[in-house]
Structures are given as structure tokens and as C-alpha cells.
Amino acid sequence: MRVTFTANGKPVEADDVWEGESLLYVLRERVGLPGSKNACEQGECGSCTVYLDDTPVCSCLVAAGQVQDREVRTVEGLADENGELGLVQQAFVDAGAVQCGFCTPGLLVQTDALLERDPQPSDTDIREALSGNLCRCTGYEKIMDAVRLASARTCERAASE
């Protein structure tokens, strides 16, 4: 079957998609957006998190056919229109929260979604928002630092506008 949707603001057509094929597979293998990572394929690690119509979802659990005529935004879509790192992406780099990088795409999408809902989340809110994203490298303190930094920058930007 053919699946048409919007990925990061651009129209996409994927042909010969099997009905049970995941959105993650289509994004990585057919559309050329490898940022979302394939780890558990059970929706438990969050490495494949993308926006589907502005809601974060585990793309490994979404059948490709479910995205017909819908909007998907991946970690690549968090960058600005010039290809520069977005605010959340830059905060992760600046805080040293990018370790092996495998879980980072999902954490970035979840952090972006959190700050959209609540630009000044508490540490409890951050932990709750990121509870579905597993990092197997080390502790989460650098990740927490990155979210706090992104929050501060989001608030600074809002105050200057």
C-alpha cells in the first residue's frame, strides 16, 4: 500500500508499505529520517519517540497505515529551518547530556513536548515526563541539567519576545 503523510513539514509518499510495518521502519528505511532509534520495538524504551499530530508516540508501536494524511515530526524536525540545532537540542549538547546518543532522540522529543506544555517544569514533572525514556549509559543527572537549561532558555526567549 502507499502511505502519504507529512514528515517535518514536507509531504512524504512511501510505496509498497506492508500493513504491519511500523512508522519507525518507514521513517528510517523508506523516508531517510534515521534520527529515531530502533531499540526495544515494544514501546518501553522511548528511543523511537516522534510527534504524531503534536502528540509524542513510540513510532515502533504505530502501524505505518495509521499515519495516512497525518503529520509526523521527528528529532530532525526539532532543528530550525536553517538546519541549526533547536533550543532543546542545543541545551542537551551544552549540558553534556548526549552520551552514547542512542536514547537522545526520544529524550529530545519528550523534552520538547514537556516544555510546550509547561515551560517551567519542576524536577518531579521532568522525571515524570521522561519516565518512558530509558538511558542505559549512566545516571540521568546530565539529562535533568539539560532539561532545566532548555527550560531556562525557553523562558528567556519568551520574556524577550
Side-chain angles (χ1 to χ4, degrees):
M1 78 177 153
R2 171 179 283 177
V3 177
T4 58
F5 59 100
T6 302
N8 300 327
K10 297 178 183 166
V12 170
E13 285 185 7
D15 290 321
D16 301 322
V17 174
W18 171 62
E19 291 178 10
E21 208 165 279
S22 72
L23 172 59
L24 175 62
Y25 184 85
V26 169
L27 290 171
R28 290 182 54 83
E29 306 300 329
R30 295 181 183 272
V31 180
L33 294 170
S36 304
K37 302 301 182 210
N38 185 3
C40 73
E41 296 187 42
Q42 298 176 357
E44 295 183 8
C45 73
S47 297
C48 64
T49 304
V50 300
Y51 282 105
L52 178 58
D53 293 337
D54 296 323
T55 300
V57 298
C58 289
S59 61
C60 70
L61 298 180
V62 176
Q66 292 177 290
V67 302
Q68 180 67 36
D69 299 324
R70 296 176 77 182
E71 185 173 320
V72 174
R73 189 162 57 129
T74 68
V75 67
E76 290 94 340
L78 298 181
D80 70 18
E81 57 264 358
N82 299 321
E84 300 293 323
L85 294 178
L87 185 146
V88 172
Q89 294 168 316
Q90 189 62 55
F92 270 65
V93 170
D94 293 345
V98 178
Q99 297 166 75
C100 81
F102 205 81
C103 66
T104 305
L107 287 164
L108 290 168
V109 172
Q110 282 293 3
T111 299
D112 188 72
L114 170 64
L115 297 179
E116 278 289 319
R117 292 189 313 270
D118 181 1
Q120 292 183 296
S122 68
D123 282 359
T124 301
D125 295 335
I126 296 169
R127 286 187 183 93
E128 176 63 28
L130 301 183
S131 64
N133 295 75
L134 302 179
C135 174
R136 296 179 175 92
C137 291
T138 63
Y140 288 80
E141 200 51 45
K142 293 286 187 186
I143 294 167
M144 293 291 291
D145 291 345
V147 177
R148 291 182 200 112
L149 181 58
S151 170
R153 289 177 178 170
T154 297
C155 292
E156 286 174 15
R157 182 192 303 175
S160 67
E161 292 178 346

